[in-house]
Structure formats: C-alpha cells, structure tokens
Amino acid sequence: MAKSFNTVIIGGGCLGCACAFSISRKLGRQPNKVAVIEKQVLGAGLSSRHSAIVRSANASVMAARMAKNAVQEWKALSTLWGVDIPFEQPGAIWIANSHKTNGTSQWQQLKNSMQNEGITFQMIARKEVTDLCNDAIRVDPDEIYFHEPDVLQLDSSEILNGLQNAAKVNQVEIMEHCQVFDFERDNQGNIIALLTNQGKIVCENVVNAMGGWSPDLFAAIGIQIPVALEPVFAANFLVSSQEIPGALPIIADFVNRAYFRRWRGSILHMHQPRSRSGNAIARCFSKAMMNPDGANVIYDASSFSVNHQQLEHYLKKLEQRFPKLGKAVYAGGYQSFFDITPDLKFILGKDNAVANLFHCLGAGQALKYAPVFGELIAEMVTKGTTRYPDIDISEFSLARFYDKPISEFWETSTDNRDSL
Ligand SMILES: Cc1cc2nc3c(=O)[nH]c(=O)nc-3n(C[C@H](O)[C@H](O)[C@H](O)COP(=O)(O)OP(=O)(O)OC[C@H]3O[C@@H](n4cnc5c(N)ncnc54)[C@H](O)[C@@H]3O)c2cc1C
C-alpha cells in the first residue's frame, strides 16, 4: 500500500528539513505525518557546501528582518527544532571601496536601514579594524569598513548532524535515495501523490525545497521556476594562529570580491560572493542550456578538484588582504553553485496555481534563514498563528515572475550589498 502523509517535503537540504521540523512540531510531533524525500542523502546538495555564516545585513529590509529573527532562532534552536547546534559569534567586518561611484552612499543607506531595523551595523575606523583582526589584514585609506557584531559562525558538519538528530526528535520520516519524478493530481489540479523510485507517496500538502533542481521537476506540470546556477569555487588554506588569529571576524571583502573566515583550528576558508550585476545574472540563465546535468553537477566526484587558474585567482585575493601570509598553503576545495533567481531574492510561499503546493527556495544565501523559513512555511501549511507578525513575504512570491518578462529583472540589478 502507498505510504501516506499530511505533508511531504521534496528535498532534504537545510530548508526542506527546517520546513519539516516546524510543520511536524505544529502537528504535534506524531509519526507518519511529515516526510522528507531526498534523492541522495540529507544535505547532499548545497546544504553541505556552504560556509555556515548566519548574519543579518541585507539590502532588502524584509530579508534583513527575517535574518535578524533567524540569528536569534539559531541561538536557541531547541525551541523550534528540539535540538541545539553549536555556534560561535565572531562578528563580521564588511569592506567596501569608498571611490566606487555611489559606493559610499549605497553603504551608508544600508547602514541606516539596518539601524532602523535594530541591527547593529556600524562604520568603524581603520584602527578598530586592525585591532579586531589583530593586525592580520591590510587596511587602505580608499576603503570603508562596517562592523556587524551579531554574526554567527556554525560548522556545516555540525549542522548536518543536527538535522539528522532533529528529524528523530520531530518524528519526521526521512526517505533517502528516493527521487520524485512526477505528480498525480486531482480535478482541481491539486497534488494528491508523488511518484518516486520507491513507489507512490500520497499526501495532502507538498513543499518544494529542491533548490537548484526545482525547475526540472516542476516544468513537467507547467510550473516555471526561474532558478539558474552560478558556479562558485570554495577553497581552504592552512594558516597558523600567529599569522591569522583564530578569533578573526568574518571578512566580507567587497573590494577583492571574497569572503574569508577562520574555522576548524587551522583553516582560512574563502569563496567569492554571488554576482550582483544584471549581465552576470542573465548569463547564468543562458548557460542552463549548456549544462544538461543541471544541479546534478554537484554530485560529480570531479567537483572536489580545482584547476590552477582558479587557485591562482584566489591566492591573489588572499595575498591582497592578508599580506603576512605570503603564498598560502592550499588545503583542499570544491566547486559548487549558487542557486540564483533573476532578482536574487528567495521564492517563498504558496503556489498561485496549485493550492496545496508551497515553495521554499533560497536564492543562493539561505542556510541562515532556515529556522525562520521553516516556521513561515509551517504557518501556511497548518494555517496556524504567526510567530513573526511583522514579516510579510509577498515580495518573495513565485507569482512575481509571471507579472513581467524575466529579462526586466536583471536590467535593474546592479547593487552588490546583499551577496553571500
Ligand atoms: C560556496 C557557498 C557558500 C555559502 N555560504 C553560505 C553561508 O555562509 N550562509 C548561508 O546562509 N548560505 C550560504 N550559502 C547558500 C546555502 O548553501 C544554500 O542557500 C542552502 O544550502 C540551500 O539549501 P536548500 O535546502 O534550499 O537546497 P539544497 O541543500 O541544495 O537541497 C535540495 C535537495 O533536493 C534534493 N533533490 C533534488 N531533486 C530531487 C528529487 N527529484 N527528489 C528528491 N530530492 C531531490 C537534492 O538532492 C538536494 O539535497 C552558500 C552557498 C555556497 C555555494
């Protein structure tokens, strides 16, 4: 007989799990109510390829508000998920070029809007940067610096461990190596069952948390989900605590276009941010045709190797910002992608055509929001009361892409403040 659940979540990444835990908690944490279907294993997608930073500053006020709530939820996670996940609070320093046209005013605006939201994000002097970083980074009179102290650093393997434990606590059934390949629908178009390689799964509600894989599956039932893949390379370098202090704040370096963080004792981890220029976003969408494997490229063993050109490119950025380091010792890396939307905003909420379908997609920067997104989707699915009365997710609806041609989204997008 087919298995049957109140809600099935497709995709076992951090967002799918977060939705499952919150929905299950709201339904009383009973067995056979909520299932996560994952075609590989939990966290096999982007959720094992991130830098585990949780911070709030964002050009979208609503995204910043959600992130501010998320920082607090991560700190006391057992309230929502029944488990805690360890974290550190190194804070972050944002570095911008003061000479770039409009650069300074954009950053000042960001500072003001964050202050209105009660998020500490303040301009600091070069001396303060030097002190916070124990003299490890280069500072320059052409640069401006902002400090965001309430920024958390988690560890991706601790998060994956936490997801597995929380699945048990919340009585969520995890179906791994189970791939959804089609849907069964009723006369009104609602989804009544998922067709998978492990048989039919009957359900009352479906949450799409497939990230970069979403367009593929939903195209078959006429739902267009504009998500493209922007390639990115992440690298680890071996450093000593004499060169770079273990307690280095996270460095969000928009001059060299790189994020740096210290973790696991001896590692300096880095990757580049998402591109914010409209042209670059458009190019990612055009490349989809040239990548027949789509998001599956992430499973390929070769994605754990990097070429010399990429490495040289990163080493230069490293030398620029950490002059004491000299030529750093490469200690492994991987290729990954950001699952981006045309306006780099999330896709959240109810589908406008299929009444029992909900979307929860992250636009390349979503781990940090996971507890809040999970709660918001759970409130919609269970029609429960809201934990965040001042959050309005209408700007993140999938329907926004149906109102105008997709190309119009990237014509306007040149801002670079909210990448991660
Ligand atoms: C280099 C890098 C650094 C990052 N750093 C940060 C950071 O510091 N902070 C932050 O907040 N975010 C960061 N991100 C972004 C973050 O990793 C993602 O936003 C987040 O992991 C997305 O999670 P997800 O659950 O939406 O997707 P995924 O983890 O990709 O999950 C989707 C899942 O769906 C499964 N799936 C696909 N198709 C099917 C199917 N047909 N049937 C069943 N299952 C299916 C996949 O196997 C996959 O496991 C970073 C991203 C990158 C690339």
Side-chain angles (χ1 to χ4, degrees), residues 11 13-15 37-39 45-47 49-53 178-180 209-210 213 232 271 299 336-338 364-368:
C14 54
L15 296 194
I37 302 188
E38 167 53 53
K39 73 170 173 174
L46 281 192
S47 297
R49 307 274 181 122
H50 53 68
S51 306
I53 295 172
C178 181
Q179 177 166 357
V180 179
M210 288 193 299
W213 288 263
V232 57
H271 68 81
Y299 304 132
S336 185
F337 58 77
F338 296 115
Q365 55 144 351
L367 161 83
K368 64 177 82 63

PDB file of all heavy atoms in Angstrom, residues 11 13-15 37-39 45-47 49-53 178-180 209-210 213 232 271 299 336-338 364-368, ligand 1:
ATOM      1  N   GLY A  11      13.129  17.357  -1.065  1.00  0.00           N
ATOM      2  CA  GLY A  11      14.445  17.974  -0.914  1.00  0.00           C
ATOM      3  C   GLY A  11      14.890  17.961   0.540  1.00  0.00           C
ATOM      4  O   GLY A  11      14.262  18.588   1.399  1.00  0.00           O
ATOM      5  N   GLY A  13      17.582  19.241   2.033  1.00  0.00           N
ATOM      6  CA  GLY A  13      18.604  20.223   2.405  1.00  0.00           C
ATOM      7  C   GLY A  13      18.167  20.930   3.681  1.00  0.00           C
ATOM      8  O   GLY A  13      17.172  20.545   4.326  1.00  0.00           O
ATOM      9  N   CYS A  14      18.897  21.991   4.038  1.00  0.00           N
ATOM     10  CA  CYS A  14      18.565  22.674   5.291  1.00  0.00           C
ATOM     11  C   CYS A  14      17.166  23.301   5.234  1.00  0.00           C
ATOM     12  O   CYS A  14      16.460  23.312   6.250  1.00  0.00           O
ATOM     13  CB  CYS A  14      19.629  23.713   5.647  1.00  0.00           C
ATOM     14  SG  CYS A  14      19.954  24.886   4.358  1.00  0.00           S
ATOM     15  N   LEU A  15      16.745  23.764   4.055  1.00  0.00           N
ATOM     16  CA  LEU A  15      15.419  24.388   4.007  1.00  0.00           C
ATOM     17  C   LEU A  15      14.311  23.353   4.113  1.00  0.00           C
ATOM     18  O   LEU A  15      13.326  23.544   4.831  1.00  0.00           O
ATOM     19  CB  LEU A  15      15.259  25.212   2.719  1.00  0.00           C
ATOM     20  CG  LEU A  15      16.193  26.411   2.562  1.00  0.00           C
ATOM     21  CD1 LEU A  15      15.704  27.328   1.448  1.00  0.00           C
ATOM     22  CD2 LEU A  15      16.324  27.194   3.848  1.00  0.00           C
ATOM     23  N   ILE A  37      11.560  13.787   1.406  1.00  0.00           N
ATOM     24  CA  ILE A  37      12.016  12.875   0.354  1.00  0.00           C
ATOM     25  C   ILE A  37      13.290  13.452  -0.251  1.00  0.00           C
ATOM     26  O   ILE A  37      13.305  14.606  -0.707  1.00  0.00           O
ATOM     27  CB  ILE A  37      10.942  12.732  -0.731  1.00  0.00           C
ATOM     28  CG1 ILE A  37       9.666  12.229  -0.079  1.00  0.00           C
ATOM     29  CG2 ILE A  37      11.396  11.775  -1.826  1.00  0.00           C
ATOM     30  CD1 ILE A  37       8.599  11.856  -1.034  1.00  0.00           C
ATOM     31  N   GLU A  38      14.334  12.665  -0.219  1.00  0.00           N
ATOM     32  CA  GLU A  38      15.646  13.156  -0.684  1.00  0.00           C
ATOM     33  C   GLU A  38      16.246  12.130  -1.644  1.00  0.00           C
ATOM     34  O   GLU A  38      16.367  10.962  -1.310  1.00  0.00           O
ATOM     35  CB  GLU A  38      16.560  13.366   0.544  1.00  0.00           C
ATOM     36  CG  GLU A  38      18.034  13.566   0.234  1.00  0.00           C
ATOM     37  CD  GLU A  38      18.331  14.670  -0.786  1.00  0.00           C
ATOM     38  OE1 GLU A  38      17.874  15.802  -0.593  1.00  0.00           O
ATOM     39  OE2 GLU A  38      19.030  14.365  -1.783  1.00  0.00           O
ATOM     40  N   LYS A  39      16.631  12.604  -2.813  1.00  0.00           N
ATOM     41  CA  LYS A  39      17.070  11.628  -3.818  1.00  0.00           C
ATOM     42  C   LYS A  39      18.472  11.078  -3.544  1.00  0.00           C
ATOM     43  O   LYS A  39      18.837  10.046  -4.095  1.00  0.00           O
ATOM     44  CB  LYS A  39      16.975  12.203  -5.220  1.00  0.00           C
ATOM     45  CG  LYS A  39      17.982  13.239  -5.605  1.00  0.00           C
ATOM     46  CD  LYS A  39      17.844  13.488  -7.105  1.00  0.00           C
ATOM     47  CE  LYS A  39      18.680  14.634  -7.586  1.00  0.00           C
ATOM     48  NZ  LYS A  39      18.639  14.752  -9.038  1.00  0.00           N
ATOM     49  N   GLY A  45      23.000  18.252  -1.277  1.00  0.00           N
ATOM     50  CA  GLY A  45      23.048  19.372  -2.219  1.00  0.00           C
ATOM     51  C   GLY A  45      23.887  20.512  -1.660  1.00  0.00           C
ATOM     52  O   GLY A  45      24.951  20.300  -1.064  1.00  0.00           O
ATOM     53  N   LEU A  46      23.381  21.719  -1.832  1.00  0.00           N
ATOM     54  CA  LEU A  46      24.129  22.897  -1.365  1.00  0.00           C
ATOM     55  C   LEU A  46      24.304  22.899   0.148  1.00  0.00           C
ATOM     56  O   LEU A  46      25.197  23.563   0.670  1.00  0.00           O
ATOM     57  CB  LEU A  46      23.377  24.171  -1.751  1.00  0.00           C
ATOM     58  CG  LEU A  46      23.511  24.639  -3.174  1.00  0.00           C
ATOM     59  CD1 LEU A  46      22.955  26.035  -3.310  1.00  0.00           C
ATOM     60  CD2 LEU A  46      24.960  24.615  -3.596  1.00  0.00           C
ATOM     61  N   SER A  47      23.463  22.164   0.833  1.00  0.00           N
ATOM     62  CA  SER A  47      23.490  22.224   2.296  1.00  0.00           C
ATOM     63  C   SER A  47      24.726  21.598   2.917  1.00  0.00           C
ATOM     64  O   SER A  47      24.908  21.673   4.131  1.00  0.00           O
ATOM     65  CB  SER A  47      22.212  21.618   2.879  1.00  0.00           C
ATOM     66  OG  SER A  47      21.120  22.395   2.462  1.00  0.00           O
ATOM     67  N   ARG A  49      27.659  22.396   1.243  1.00  0.00           N
ATOM     68  CA  ARG A  49      28.692  23.157   0.513  1.00  0.00           C
ATOM     69  C   ARG A  49      28.658  24.645   0.864  1.00  0.00           C
ATOM     70  O   ARG A  49      28.927  25.481   0.011  1.00  0.00           O
ATOM     71  CB  ARG A  49      28.452  23.041  -1.001  1.00  0.00           C
ATOM     72  CG  ARG A  49      28.318  21.644  -1.525  1.00  0.00           C
ATOM     73  CD  ARG A  49      29.666  21.060  -1.838  1.00  0.00           C
ATOM     74  NE  ARG A  49      29.499  19.736  -2.369  1.00  0.00           N
ATOM     75  CZ  ARG A  49      29.943  19.337  -3.557  1.00  0.00           C
ATOM     76  NH1 ARG A  49      30.578  20.165  -4.337  1.00  0.00           N
ATOM     77  NH2 ARG A  49      29.772  18.102  -3.943  1.00  0.00           N
ATOM     78  N   HIS A  50      28.243  24.964   2.059  1.00  0.00           N
ATOM     79  CA  HIS A  50      28.174  26.393   2.383  1.00  0.00           C
ATOM     80  C   HIS A  50      29.214  26.746   3.440  1.00  0.00           C
ATOM     81  O   HIS A  50      29.938  25.892   3.918  1.00  0.00           O
ATOM     82  CB  HIS A  50      26.771  26.770   2.872  1.00  0.00           C
ATOM     83  CG  HIS A  50      26.308  25.905   3.991  1.00  0.00           C
ATOM     84  ND1 HIS A  50      26.882  25.949   5.226  1.00  0.00           N
ATOM     85  CD2 HIS A  50      25.354  24.952   4.048  1.00  0.00           C
ATOM     86  CE1 HIS A  50      26.303  25.075   6.009  1.00  0.00           C
ATOM     87  NE2 HIS A  50      25.382  24.446   5.320  1.00  0.00           N
ATOM     88  N   SER A  51      29.237  28.040   3.811  1.00  0.00           N
ATOM     89  CA  SER A  51      30.242  28.496   4.757  1.00  0.00           C
ATOM     90  C   SER A  51      29.663  28.694   6.138  1.00  0.00           C
ATOM     91  O   SER A  51      30.354  29.182   7.036  1.00  0.00           O
ATOM     92  CB  SER A  51      30.861  29.796   4.253  1.00  0.00           C
ATOM     93  OG  SER A  51      31.335  29.573   2.953  1.00  0.00           O
ATOM     94  N   ALA A  52      28.373  28.383   6.297  1.00  0.00           N
ATOM     95  CA  ALA A  52      27.727  28.321   7.617  1.00  0.00           C
ATOM     96  C   ALA A  52      27.743  29.642   8.381  1.00  0.00           C
ATOM     97  O   ALA A  52      27.845  29.664   9.603  1.00  0.00           O
ATOM     98  CB  ALA A  52      28.359  27.205   8.448  1.00  0.00           C
ATOM     99  N   ILE A  53      27.659  30.737   7.644  1.00  0.00           N
ATOM    100  CA  ILE A  53      27.599  32.051   8.300  1.00  0.00           C
ATOM    101  C   ILE A  53      26.145  32.470   8.452  1.00  0.00           C
ATOM    102  O   ILE A  53      25.349  32.309   7.520  1.00  0.00           O
ATOM    103  CB  ILE A  53      28.336  33.106   7.451  1.00  0.00           C
ATOM    104  CG1 ILE A  53      29.815  32.770   7.393  1.00  0.00           C
ATOM    105  CG2 ILE A  53      28.139  34.499   8.019  1.00  0.00           C
ATOM    106  CD1 ILE A  53      30.570  33.641   6.430  1.00  0.00           C
ATOM    107  N   CYS A 178      15.493   8.427  -2.537  1.00  0.00           N
ATOM    108  CA  CYS A 178      14.119   8.385  -3.058  1.00  0.00           C
ATOM    109  C   CYS A 178      13.946   9.618  -3.950  1.00  0.00           C
ATOM    110  O   CYS A 178      14.032  10.750  -3.479  1.00  0.00           O
ATOM    111  CB  CYS A 178      13.137   8.420  -1.881  1.00  0.00           C
ATOM    112  SG  CYS A 178      11.426   8.335  -2.394  1.00  0.00           S
ATOM    113  N   GLN A 179      13.728   9.394  -5.226  1.00  0.00           N
ATOM    114  CA  GLN A 179      13.649  10.521  -6.164  1.00  0.00           C
ATOM    115  C   GLN A 179      12.225  10.702  -6.678  1.00  0.00           C
ATOM    116  O   GLN A 179      11.615   9.762  -7.190  1.00  0.00           O
ATOM    117  CB  GLN A 179      14.593  10.270  -7.351  1.00  0.00           C
ATOM    118  CG  GLN A 179      14.483  11.375  -8.385  1.00  0.00           C
ATOM    119  CD  GLN A 179      15.608  11.353  -9.384  1.00  0.00           C
ATOM    120  OE1 GLN A 179      16.514  10.525  -9.279  1.00  0.00           O
ATOM    121  NE2 GLN A 179      15.556  12.234 -10.358  1.00  0.00           N
ATOM    122  N   VAL A 180      11.711  11.918  -6.540  1.00  0.00           N
ATOM    123  CA  VAL A 180      10.395  12.226  -7.107  1.00  0.00           C
ATOM    124  C   VAL A 180      10.592  12.477  -8.589  1.00  0.00           C
ATOM    125  O   VAL A 180      11.461  13.259  -8.987  1.00  0.00           O
ATOM    126  CB  VAL A 180       9.801  13.496  -6.448  1.00  0.00           C
ATOM    127  CG1 VAL A 180       8.440  13.822  -7.060  1.00  0.00           C
ATOM    128  CG2 VAL A 180       9.698  13.327  -4.944  1.00  0.00           C
ATOM    129  N   ALA A 209      11.307  22.045  -1.771  1.00  0.00           N
ATOM    130  CA  ALA A 209      12.566  22.572  -1.209  1.00  0.00           C
ATOM    131  C   ALA A 209      13.727  21.949  -1.973  1.00  0.00           C
ATOM    132  O   ALA A 209      14.696  21.495  -1.383  1.00  0.00           O
ATOM    133  CB  ALA A 209      12.640  22.273   0.280  1.00  0.00           C
ATOM    134  N   MET A 210      13.592  21.942  -3.288  1.00  0.00           N
ATOM    135  CA  MET A 210      14.601  21.280  -4.131  1.00  0.00           C
ATOM    136  C   MET A 210      15.670  22.228  -4.653  1.00  0.00           C
ATOM    137  O   MET A 210      16.485  21.823  -5.490  1.00  0.00           O
ATOM    138  CB  MET A 210      13.922  20.610  -5.330  1.00  0.00           C
ATOM    139  CG  MET A 210      13.138  19.365  -4.954  1.00  0.00           C
ATOM    140  SD  MET A 210      12.720  18.462  -6.436  1.00  0.00           S
ATOM    141  CE  MET A 210      11.759  19.646  -7.262  1.00  0.00           C
ATOM    142  N   TRP A 213      17.327  22.198  -8.206  1.00  0.00           N
ATOM    143  CA  TRP A 213      16.706  21.137  -9.013  1.00  0.00           C
ATOM    144  C   TRP A 213      15.249  21.452  -9.352  1.00  0.00           C
ATOM    145  O   TRP A 213      14.627  20.748 -10.137  1.00  0.00           O
ATOM    146  CB  TRP A 213      16.756  19.803  -8.256  1.00  0.00           C
ATOM    147  CG  TRP A 213      18.097  19.182  -8.159  1.00  0.00           C
ATOM    148  CD1 TRP A 213      18.606  18.198  -8.970  1.00  0.00           C
ATOM    149  CD2 TRP A 213      19.127  19.465  -7.205  1.00  0.00           C
ATOM    150  NE1 TRP A 213      19.883  17.872  -8.557  1.00  0.00           N
ATOM    151  CE2 TRP A 213      20.222  18.632  -7.483  1.00  0.00           C
ATOM    152  CE3 TRP A 213      19.235  20.359  -6.137  1.00  0.00           C
ATOM    153  CZ2 TRP A 213      21.404  18.645  -6.742  1.00  0.00           C
ATOM    154  CZ3 TRP A 213      20.409  20.389  -5.397  1.00  0.00           C
ATOM    155  CH2 TRP A 213      21.472  19.544  -5.698  1.00  0.00           C
ATOM    156  N   VAL A 232      30.609  28.559  -8.403  1.00  0.00           N
ATOM    157  CA  VAL A 232      31.485  29.195  -7.416  1.00  0.00           C
ATOM    158  C   VAL A 232      32.470  28.144  -6.922  1.00  0.00           C
ATOM    159  O   VAL A 232      32.158  26.960  -6.896  1.00  0.00           O
ATOM    160  CB  VAL A 232      30.666  29.807  -6.238  1.00  0.00           C
ATOM    161  CG1 VAL A 232      29.811  28.779  -5.546  1.00  0.00           C
ATOM    162  CG2 VAL A 232      31.581  30.476  -5.208  1.00  0.00           C
ATOM    163  N   HIS A 271      35.557  32.033  -0.378  1.00  0.00           N
ATOM    164  CA  HIS A 271      34.865  31.870  -1.669  1.00  0.00           C
ATOM    165  C   HIS A 271      34.425  33.244  -2.140  1.00  0.00           C
ATOM    166  O   HIS A 271      34.435  34.213  -1.361  1.00  0.00           O
ATOM    167  CB  HIS A 271      33.676  30.909  -1.562  1.00  0.00           C
ATOM    168  CG  HIS A 271      32.531  31.415  -0.734  1.00  0.00           C
ATOM    169  ND1 HIS A 271      31.588  32.290  -1.213  1.00  0.00           N
ATOM    170  CD2 HIS A 271      32.186  31.174   0.548  1.00  0.00           C
ATOM    171  CE1 HIS A 271      30.701  32.541  -0.261  1.00  0.00           C
ATOM    172  NE2 HIS A 271      31.048  31.897   0.816  1.00  0.00           N
ATOM    173  N   TYR A 299      27.018  16.398  -7.592  1.00  0.00           N
ATOM    174  CA  TYR A 299      27.293  15.036  -7.112  1.00  0.00           C
ATOM    175  C   TYR A 299      28.545  14.437  -7.743  1.00  0.00           C
ATOM    176  O   TYR A 299      29.008  13.388  -7.334  1.00  0.00           O
ATOM    177  CB  TYR A 299      26.119  14.098  -7.416  1.00  0.00           C
ATOM    178  CG  TYR A 299      24.797  14.547  -6.859  1.00  0.00           C
ATOM    179  CD1 TYR A 299      23.659  14.561  -7.662  1.00  0.00           C
ATOM    180  CD2 TYR A 299      24.682  14.959  -5.533  1.00  0.00           C
ATOM    181  CE1 TYR A 299      22.447  14.971  -7.157  1.00  0.00           C
ATOM    182  CE2 TYR A 299      23.467  15.378  -5.032  1.00  0.00           C
ATOM    183  CZ  TYR A 299      22.356  15.380  -5.848  1.00  0.00           C
ATOM    184  OH  TYR A 299      21.164  15.787  -5.345  1.00  0.00           O
ATOM    185  N   SER A 336      31.111  24.488  -6.552  1.00  0.00           N
ATOM    186  CA  SER A 336      29.706  24.408  -6.169  1.00  0.00           C
ATOM    187  C   SER A 336      28.928  25.409  -7.025  1.00  0.00           C
ATOM    188  O   SER A 336      29.430  25.875  -8.056  1.00  0.00           O
ATOM    189  CB  SER A 336      29.577  24.708  -4.665  1.00  0.00           C
ATOM    190  OG  SER A 336      28.262  24.533  -4.232  1.00  0.00           O
ATOM    191  N   PHE A 337      27.740  25.757  -6.617  1.00  0.00           N
ATOM    192  CA  PHE A 337      26.986  26.789  -7.340  1.00  0.00           C
ATOM    193  C   PHE A 337      26.058  27.495  -6.376  1.00  0.00           C
ATOM    194  O   PHE A 337      25.686  26.944  -5.329  1.00  0.00           O
ATOM    195  CB  PHE A 337      26.183  26.180  -8.497  1.00  0.00           C
ATOM    196  CG  PHE A 337      25.196  25.115  -8.066  1.00  0.00           C
ATOM    197  CD1 PHE A 337      23.994  25.454  -7.465  1.00  0.00           C
ATOM    198  CD2 PHE A 337      25.473  23.769  -8.261  1.00  0.00           C
ATOM    199  CE1 PHE A 337      23.079  24.478  -7.061  1.00  0.00           C
ATOM    200  CE2 PHE A 337      24.564  22.787  -7.857  1.00  0.00           C
ATOM    201  CZ  PHE A 337      23.371  23.147  -7.260  1.00  0.00           C
ATOM    202  N   PHE A 338      25.710  28.717  -6.709  1.00  0.00           N
ATOM    203  CA  PHE A 338      24.618  29.403  -6.017  1.00  0.00           C
ATOM    204  C   PHE A 338      23.367  29.160  -6.849  1.00  0.00           C
ATOM    205  O   PHE A 338      23.395  29.336  -8.075  1.00  0.00           O
ATOM    206  CB  PHE A 338      24.884  30.913  -5.936  1.00  0.00           C
ATOM    207  CG  PHE A 338      26.090  31.283  -5.115  1.00  0.00           C
ATOM    208  CD1 PHE A 338      27.193  31.881  -5.717  1.00  0.00           C
ATOM    209  CD2 PHE A 338      26.126  31.067  -3.756  1.00  0.00           C
ATOM    210  CE1 PHE A 338      28.297  32.248  -4.967  1.00  0.00           C
ATOM    211  CE2 PHE A 338      27.234  31.435  -2.991  1.00  0.00           C
ATOM    212  CZ  PHE A 338      28.316  32.017  -3.606  1.00  0.00           C
ATOM    213  N   GLY A 364      20.532  31.205  -3.254  1.00  0.00           N
ATOM    214  CA  GLY A 364      21.980  31.233  -3.050  1.00  0.00           C
ATOM    215  C   GLY A 364      22.468  31.747  -1.714  1.00  0.00           C
ATOM    216  O   GLY A 364      23.654  31.927  -1.513  1.00  0.00           O
ATOM    217  N   GLN A 365      21.580  32.010  -0.784  1.00  0.00           N
ATOM    218  CA  GLN A 365      22.061  32.548   0.507  1.00  0.00           C
ATOM    219  C   GLN A 365      21.094  32.195   1.629  1.00  0.00           C
ATOM    220  O   GLN A 365      20.711  33.045   2.418  1.00  0.00           O
ATOM    221  CB  GLN A 365      22.208  34.071   0.416  1.00  0.00           C
ATOM    222  CG  GLN A 365      20.974  34.802  -0.032  1.00  0.00           C
ATOM    223  CD  GLN A 365      20.782  36.154   0.639  1.00  0.00           C
ATOM    224  OE1 GLN A 365      21.471  36.520   1.575  1.00  0.00           O
ATOM    225  NE2 GLN A 365      19.814  36.901   0.158  1.00  0.00           N
ATOM    226  N   ALA A 366      20.734  30.913   1.755  1.00  0.00           N
ATOM    227  CA  ALA A 366      19.573  30.651   2.603  1.00  0.00           C
ATOM    228  C   ALA A 366      19.791  29.865   3.874  1.00  0.00           C
ATOM    229  O   ALA A 366      18.873  29.762   4.671  1.00  0.00           O
ATOM    230  CB  ALA A 366      18.510  29.956   1.786  1.00  0.00           C
ATOM    231  N   LEU A 367      20.960  29.277   4.056  1.00  0.00           N
ATOM    232  CA  LEU A 367      21.104  28.495   5.285  1.00  0.00           C
ATOM    233  C   LEU A 367      20.688  29.337   6.493  1.00  0.00           C
ATOM    234  O   LEU A 367      19.961  28.899   7.366  1.00  0.00           O
ATOM    235  CB  LEU A 367      22.568  28.037   5.460  1.00  0.00           C
ATOM    236  CG  LEU A 367      22.833  27.659   6.916  1.00  0.00           C
ATOM    237  CD1 LEU A 367      22.378  26.256   7.185  1.00  0.00           C
ATOM    238  CD2 LEU A 367      24.236  27.912   7.315  1.00  0.00           C
ATOM    239  N   LYS A 368      21.170  30.576   6.490  1.00  0.00           N
ATOM    240  CA  LYS A 368      20.966  31.421   7.665  1.00  0.00           C
ATOM    241  C   LYS A 368      19.493  31.601   8.004  1.00  0.00           C
ATOM    242  O   LYS A 368      19.128  31.762   9.151  1.00  0.00           O
ATOM    243  CB  LYS A 368      21.646  32.779   7.469  1.00  0.00           C
ATOM    244  CG  LYS A 368      21.080  33.603   6.350  1.00  0.00           C
ATOM    245  CD  LYS A 368      21.742  34.976   6.246  1.00  0.00           C
ATOM    246  CE  LYS A 368      23.039  34.960   5.517  1.00  0.00           C
ATOM    247  NZ  LYS A 368      22.970  34.549   4.097  1.00  0.00           N
TER     248      LYS A 368
HETATM  249  C1  LIG B   1      30.203  28.347  -1.553  1.00  0.00           C
HETATM  250  C2  LIG B   1      28.902  28.649  -0.857  1.00  0.00           C
HETATM  251  C3  LIG B   1      28.890  29.256   0.390  1.00  0.00           C
HETATM  252  C4  LIG B   1      27.687  29.533   1.015  1.00  0.00           C
HETATM  253  N1  LIG B   1      27.725  30.098   2.258  1.00  0.00           N
HETATM  254  C5  LIG B   1      26.566  30.389   2.892  1.00  0.00           C
HETATM  255  C6  LIG B   1      26.588  30.963   4.185  1.00  0.00           C
HETATM  256  O1  LIG B   1      27.648  31.167   4.769  1.00  0.00           O
HETATM  257  N2  LIG B   1      25.394  31.244   4.791  1.00  0.00           N
HETATM  258  C7  LIG B   1      24.197  30.996   4.162  1.00  0.00           C
HETATM  259  O2  LIG B   1      23.152  31.310   4.729  1.00  0.00           O
HETATM  260  N3  LIG B   1      24.144  30.421   2.934  1.00  0.00           N
HETATM  261  C8  LIG B   1      25.300  30.111   2.290  1.00  0.00           C
HETATM  262  N4  LIG B   1      25.270  29.519   1.059  1.00  0.00           N
HETATM  263  C9  LIG B   1      23.964  29.181   0.468  1.00  0.00           C
HETATM  264  C10 LIG B   1      23.406  27.872   1.053  1.00  0.00           C
HETATM  265  O3  LIG B   1      24.347  26.832   0.896  1.00  0.00           O
HETATM  266  C11 LIG B   1      22.122  27.488   0.337  1.00  0.00           C
HETATM  267  O4  LIG B   1      21.266  28.599   0.210  1.00  0.00           O
HETATM  268  C12 LIG B   1      21.355  26.413   1.102  1.00  0.00           C
HETATM  269  O5  LIG B   1      22.197  25.331   1.441  1.00  0.00           O
HETATM  270  C13 LIG B   1      20.219  25.910   0.226  1.00  0.00           C
HETATM  271  O6  LIG B   1      19.597  24.847   0.892  1.00  0.00           O
HETATM  272  P1  LIG B   1      18.367  24.126   0.213  1.00  0.00           P
HETATM  273  O7  LIG B   1      17.814  23.224   1.250  1.00  0.00           O
HETATM  274  O8  LIG B   1      17.469  25.102  -0.432  1.00  0.00           O
HETATM  275  O9  LIG B   1      18.985  23.333  -1.039  1.00  0.00           O
HETATM  276  P2  LIG B   1      19.864  22.012  -1.149  1.00  0.00           P
HETATM  277  O10 LIG B   1      20.712  21.799   0.046  1.00  0.00           O
HETATM  278  O11 LIG B   1      20.543  22.074  -2.465  1.00  0.00           O
HETATM  279  O12 LIG B   1      18.751  20.863  -1.121  1.00  0.00           O
HETATM  280  C14 LIG B   1      17.984  20.463  -2.224  1.00  0.00           C
HETATM  281  C15 LIG B   1      17.876  18.950  -2.136  1.00  0.00           C
HETATM  282  O13 LIG B   1      16.889  18.478  -3.055  1.00  0.00           O
HETATM  283  C16 LIG B   1      17.284  17.170  -3.442  1.00  0.00           C
HETATM  284  N5  LIG B   1      16.542  16.818  -4.653  1.00  0.00           N
HETATM  285  C17 LIG B   1      16.669  17.368  -5.872  1.00  0.00           C
HETATM  286  N6  LIG B   1      15.806  16.825  -6.755  1.00  0.00           N
HETATM  287  C18 LIG B   1      15.093  15.883  -6.066  1.00  0.00           C
HETATM  288  C19 LIG B   1      14.060  14.973  -6.428  1.00  0.00           C
HETATM  289  N7  LIG B   1      13.554  14.937  -7.679  1.00  0.00           N
HETATM  290  N8  LIG B   1      13.563  14.139  -5.480  1.00  0.00           N
HETATM  291  C20 LIG B   1      14.052  14.177  -4.193  1.00  0.00           C
HETATM  292  N9  LIG B   1      15.047  15.033  -3.804  1.00  0.00           N
HETATM  293  C21 LIG B   1      15.551  15.871  -4.721  1.00  0.00           C
HETATM  294  C22 LIG B   1      18.784  17.342  -3.680  1.00  0.00           C
HETATM  295  O14 LIG B   1      19.477  16.108  -3.683  1.00  0.00           O
HETATM  296  C23 LIG B   1      19.194  18.256  -2.526  1.00  0.00           C
HETATM  297  O15 LIG B   1      19.673  17.531  -1.406  1.00  0.00           O
HETATM  298  C24 LIG B   1      26.454  29.213   0.396  1.00  0.00           C
HETATM  299  C25 LIG B   1      26.446  28.595  -0.857  1.00  0.00           C
HETATM  300  C26 LIG B   1      27.661  28.303  -1.479  1.00  0.00           C
HETATM  301  C27 LIG B   1      27.640  27.627  -2.815  1.00  0.00           C
END
